[in-house]
């Protein structure tokens, strides 16, 4: 095996071609002619390799898995390029700015950190229906409107609106606007707003009822923290709560992710443990899909659910589970449908963490166990440290800072966080029974120490340090792969790993200049 890559994953081929196609779409956003040329060339190259390896397979000179990989890559590349270019064109057609008469339905309300922001869908501007969502900031002196406006109401007013570009003049894709579909922004006062009362949609009613159940029994602060842990919706948090959770390295518990899916799968497996696998797994699959719909297809949740599906299929078919393969499969499938997620912070942080775990956790676990650590502690250290390494490039690029203690914080607090999350999930069904809502008080008292710990950790001096980086910081990921356990180089492996990590440090340092 010396000098070779161990267990070469077919989905590496797919992921690389799909990512290359997305970069072609990025080029299209700034130069349509150049984007079409490079995009078509990329798809032709992928299709050519697919045809070649299919021919070689027919001639018994190639493995079927390689032919299937290139064929799948070709299909996903066509999807990514088609959807991406249509998205760019549609977004550009909707670039409307200036004074407009506005009509829209309130689909969300943000009161986080004391601000008051409305989000309107079903937009009609100057009598013409438009795609996307309008973000409406309400002036501070007019926030009494909060007493009457509810999700589902229709608002009509006149205002100067500003279009939110998908591709900014600085050469960046606004991944946040793409994920939330916010295409316009404006500021208004309550004067001149005509309000028509309406009813929330089914999922909105469920979310409102869930938030109400939590806040009624856990109080506004802890009820909204619990709600954000379950749904990722941080709009109702008290001032600064998310900020100090994030500074403490615990912001991820309020952004639904693979961690939450892992907890849910653990609970569902326990509840259905006496049910056979052929029945249990489809039930879990349906419930996870329902949860994915409820959290509005959050990128990290979609990634986690796809990986769970792949793992379940592998178990049912008698195959072995492979973290890197399922991760790359989810990466490719999501980008084929939502190509601009490649430029979205949550998406890259989620995949970066799992990539780090897939590449480094085994090495770190074996190293710690070899030097006397218990196996469970070695696994915890391996998982936390490798995830921290994996998110470092994305964290530096998007937020310009890194959290120094997140590695230690997550090692010691994740077991407790799992207890808090599981208690909320398990007590919620009981709280629906008449006169039993008070059982959620137990979750409140479990959540309070976590809140105090996050607040205290966030106020440790120099816990967050500035580390701004350019896009080139993402070159660390292929270097990390070489440094990881998937590249086998015999006795030279240790030296190559250290050199690779040194290269990553140099890249980060240069990008920070």
């Amino acid at each position: 095996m010396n000098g070779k890559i161990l267990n070469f994953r077919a989905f590496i081929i797919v992921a690389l071609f799909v990512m290359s196609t997305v970069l072609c779409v990025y080029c299209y956003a700034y130069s349509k002619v150049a984007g079409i040329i490079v995009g078509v060339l990329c798809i032709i190259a992928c299709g050519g390799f697919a045809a070649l390896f299919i021919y070689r397979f027919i001639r018994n000179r190639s493995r079927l898995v390689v032919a299937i990989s290139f064929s799948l890559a070709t299909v996903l590349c066509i999807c990514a390029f088609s959807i991406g270019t249509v998205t760019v064109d549609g977004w550009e057609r909707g670039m409307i700015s200036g004074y407009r008469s506005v009509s829209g339905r309130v689909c969300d309300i943000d009161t986080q950190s004391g601000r008051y922001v409305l989000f309107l869908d079903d937009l009609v501007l100057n009598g013409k229906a438009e795609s996307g969502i309008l973000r409406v900031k309400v002036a501070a002196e007019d926030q009494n409107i909060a007493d009457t406006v509810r999700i589902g109401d229709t608002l009509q007013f006149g205002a100067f609106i500003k279009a939110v570009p998908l591709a900014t003049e600085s050469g960046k894709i606004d991944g946040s606007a793409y994920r939330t579909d916010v295409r316009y922004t404006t500021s208004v006062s309550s004067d001149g707003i005509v309000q028509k009362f309406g009813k929330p949609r089914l999922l909105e009613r469920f979310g409102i009822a869930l938030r109400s159940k939590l806040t009624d029994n856990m109080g506004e602060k802890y009820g909204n923290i619990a709600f954000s842990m379950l749904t990722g919706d941080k709009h109702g948090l008290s001032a600064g709560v998310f900020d100090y959770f994030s500074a403490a390295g615990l912001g991820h518990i309020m952004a639904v992710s693979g961690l939450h899916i892992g907890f849910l799968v653990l609970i569902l497996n326990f509840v259905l443990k006496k049910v056979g696998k052929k029945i249990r797994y489809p039930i879990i699959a349906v419930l996870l899909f329902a949860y994915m719909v409820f959290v509005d297809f959050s990128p990290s949740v979609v990634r986690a659910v796809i990986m769970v599906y792949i793992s379940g299929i592998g178990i049912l078919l008698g195959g072995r589970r492979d973290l890197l393969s399922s991760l790359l499969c989810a990466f490719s499938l999501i980008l084929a449908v939502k190509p601009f997620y490649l430029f979205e912070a949550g998406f890259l942080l989620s995949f970066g963490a799992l990539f780090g775990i897939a590449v480094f956790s085994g090495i770190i676990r074996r190293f710690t166990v070899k030097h006397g650590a218990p196996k469970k502690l070695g696994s915890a250290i391996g998982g936390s440290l490798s995830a921290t390494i994996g998110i470092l490039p994305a964290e530096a690029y998007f937020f310009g800072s890194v959290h120094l203690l997140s590695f230690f914080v997550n090692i010691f607090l994740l077991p407790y966080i799992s207890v808090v999350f599981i208690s909320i999930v398990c007590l919620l069904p009981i709280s629906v029974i008449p006169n039993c809502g008070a059982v959620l008080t137990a979750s409140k008292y479990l959540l309070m120490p976590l809140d105090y710990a996050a607040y205290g950790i966030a106020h440790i001096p120099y816990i967050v340090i500035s580390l701004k980086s350019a896009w080139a910081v993402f070159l660390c990921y292929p270097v990390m792969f070489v440094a990881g356990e998937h590249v086998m180089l015999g006795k030279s492996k240790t030296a190559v790993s250290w050199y690779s990590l040194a290269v990553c440090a140099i890249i980060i340092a240069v990008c920070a200049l």
Side-chain angles (χ1 to χ4, degrees):
M1 285 292 182
N2 290 350
K4 296 182 179 180
I5 295 178
L6 179 67
N7 295 330
F8 181 78
R9 271 74 174 172
F11 270 106
I12 291 178
I13 297 172
V14 181
L16 288 176
F17 269 102
V18 172
M19 186 169 63
S20 299
T21 304
V22 173
L23 295 177
C24 293
V25 177
Y26 168 81
C27 183
Y28 178 87
Y30 290 95
S31 174
K32 289 183 170 51
V33 174
I36 290 173
I37 292 174
V38 294
V40 170
L41 288 176
C42 181
I43 293 172
I44 289 175
C46 188
F49 280 117
L52 173 63
F53 283 104
I54 290 173
Y55 172 76
R56 288 173 62 86
F57 169 72
I58 294 173
R59 297 290 298 274
N60 295 321
R61 291 186 296 173
S62 172
R63 291 189 302 166
L64 177 61
V65 66
V66 179
I68 293 176
S69 298
F70 277 106
S71 300
L72 179 60
T74 303
V75 173
L76 295 183
C77 285
I78 293 172
C79 290
F81 191 75
S82 301
I83 294 173
T85 53
V86 169
T87 299
V88 170
D89 293 340
W91 205 287
E92 289 180 351
R93 284 195 298 271
M95 292 289 288
I96 301 171
S97 295
Y99 188 86
R100 295 288 188 277
S101 62
V102 178
S103 174
R105 191 190 72 93
V106 179
C107 61
D108 201 359
I109 301 173
D110 183 4
T111 58
Q112 185 183 357
S113 301
R115 63 190 177 187
Y116 194 73
V117 179
L118 305 173
F119 295 87
L120 307 183
D121 61 10
D122 295 344
L123 285 178
V124 177
L125 304 180
N126 279 359
K128 181 182 177 182
E130 299 289 348
S131 301
I133 290 174
L134 172 65
R135 183 179 184 271
V136 183
K137 182 178 180 181
V138 180
E141 62 272 16
D142 294 309
Q143 289 186 7
N144 58 328
I145 195 174
D147 296 331
T148 59
V149 173
R150 296 291 183 268
I151 292 175
D153 293 350
T154 297
L155 303 182
Q156 296 176 344
F157 54 89
F160 284 93
I161 68 171
K162 180 181 178 182
V164 178
L166 177 63
T168 66
E169 294 181 357
S170 61
K172 293 183 178 180
I173 298 295
D174 191 336
S176 177
Y178 175 72
R179 177 178 57 81
T180 58
D181 202 28
V182 173
R183 303 195 184 191
Y184 313 95
T185 62
T186 190
S187 296
V188 299
S189 64
S190 58
D191 296 337
I193 294 180
V194 177
Q195 178 183 357
K196 295 182 179 180
F197 295 107
K199 293 183 179 180
R201 293 167 181 166
L202 179 61
L203 287 179
E204 292 170 342
R205 289 201 298 271
F206 182 78
I208 292 169
L210 176 60
R211 187 194 293 273
S212 178
K213 176 64 68 175
L214 292 169
T215 54
D216 288 348
N217 294 283
M218 299 176 67
E220 284 292 325
K221 179 179 181 180
Y222 293 110
N224 278 304
I225 292 176
F227 185 74
S228 68
M229 289 178 68
L230 293 173
T231 67
D233 185 345
K234 298 176 280 292
H235 288 167
L237 293 176
S238 304
V241 171
F242 179 72
D243 293 336
Y244 66 71
F245 266 85
S246 180
L250 294 172
H252 60 89
I253 71 172
M254 296 183 180
V256 286
S257 62
L259 179 69
H260 300 72
I261 296 299
F263 291 154
L264 289 176
V265 171
L266 180 67
I267 294 170
L268 292 172
N269 266 319
F270 177 78
V271 173
L272 301 172
K273 63 181 179 180
K274 294 185 178 180
V275 180
K277 291 181 179 179
K278 293 184 178 180
I279 299 177
R280 186 199 320 165
Y281 288 167
I283 293 175
I284 293 176
V286 171
L287 293 176
L288 290 182
F289 183 81
Y291 182 67
M292 190 165 57
V293 172
F294 177 60
V295 299
D296 198 23
F297 294 94
S298 167
S300 54
V301 170
V302 174
R303 185 267 305 159
V305 171
I306 290 175
M307 293 179 68
V308 170
Y309 286 174
I310 294 172
S311 177
I313 292 171
I315 293 174
L316 289 175
L317 297 179
R320 67 184 181 88
R321 289 179 288 181
D322 181 84
L323 179 59
L324 186 60
S325 291
S326 57
L327 178 67
L328 293 173
C329 175
F331 180 85
S332 304
L333 292 175
I334 292 174
L335 288 184
V337 179
K338 292 285 188 178
F340 287 112
Y341 273 172
L342 185 63
F343 307 97
E344 201 270 328
F347 178 84
L348 290 177
L349 287 169
S350 176
F351 276 93
L354 264 292
F355 178 80
I357 292 172
V359 171
F360 293 120
S361 63
I363 296 174
I364 297 172
R365 183 187 68 251
R366 289 191 294 270
F367 177 83
T368 54
V369 171
K370 182 180 179 180
H371 287 78
K375 289 184 177 180
K376 289 186 177 180
L377 178 60
S379 297
I381 294 174
S384 182
L385 182 56
S386 58
T388 301
I389 295 171
I391 67 172
L392 182 60
E395 196 174 29
Y397 177 77
F398 285 105
F399 306 112
S401 61
V402 294
H403 301 80
L404 293 180
L405 294 182
S406 61
F407 159 59
F408 300 101
V409 169
N410 282 285
I411 285 179
F412 293 107
L413 289 184
L414 269 182
Y416 186 75
I417 291 170
S418 66
V419 172
V420 175
F421 184 86
I422 291 172
S423 75
I424 296 172
V425 173
C426 292
L427 293 177
L428 262 175
I430 300 175
S431 70
V432 177
I433 301 172
N435 302 318
C436 291
V439 297
L440 286 171
T441 306
S443 296
K444 172 184 175 180
Y445 288 116
L446 286 174
L447 193 54
M448 289 174 66
L450 181 62
D451 178 46
Y452 295 149
Y455 184 82
I457 294 168
H459 286 79
I460 297 175
Y462 307 111
I463 189 173
V464 179
I465 61 172
S466 177
L467 186 64
K468 295 182 179 180
S469 294
W471 65 266
V473 73
F474 293 107
L475 295 175
C476 289
Y477 286 120
V479 180
M480 287 179 184
F481 180 78
V482 174
E485 61 182 345
H486 299 292
V487 177
M488 305 301 292
L489 298 172
K491 295 181 179 179
S492 62
K493 177 61 180 178
T494 301
V496 170
S497 297
W498 282 111
Y499 285 136
S500 299
L501 293 176
V503 170
C504 285
I506 293 171
I507 291 173
I508 293 173
V510 171
C511 291
L513 295 178

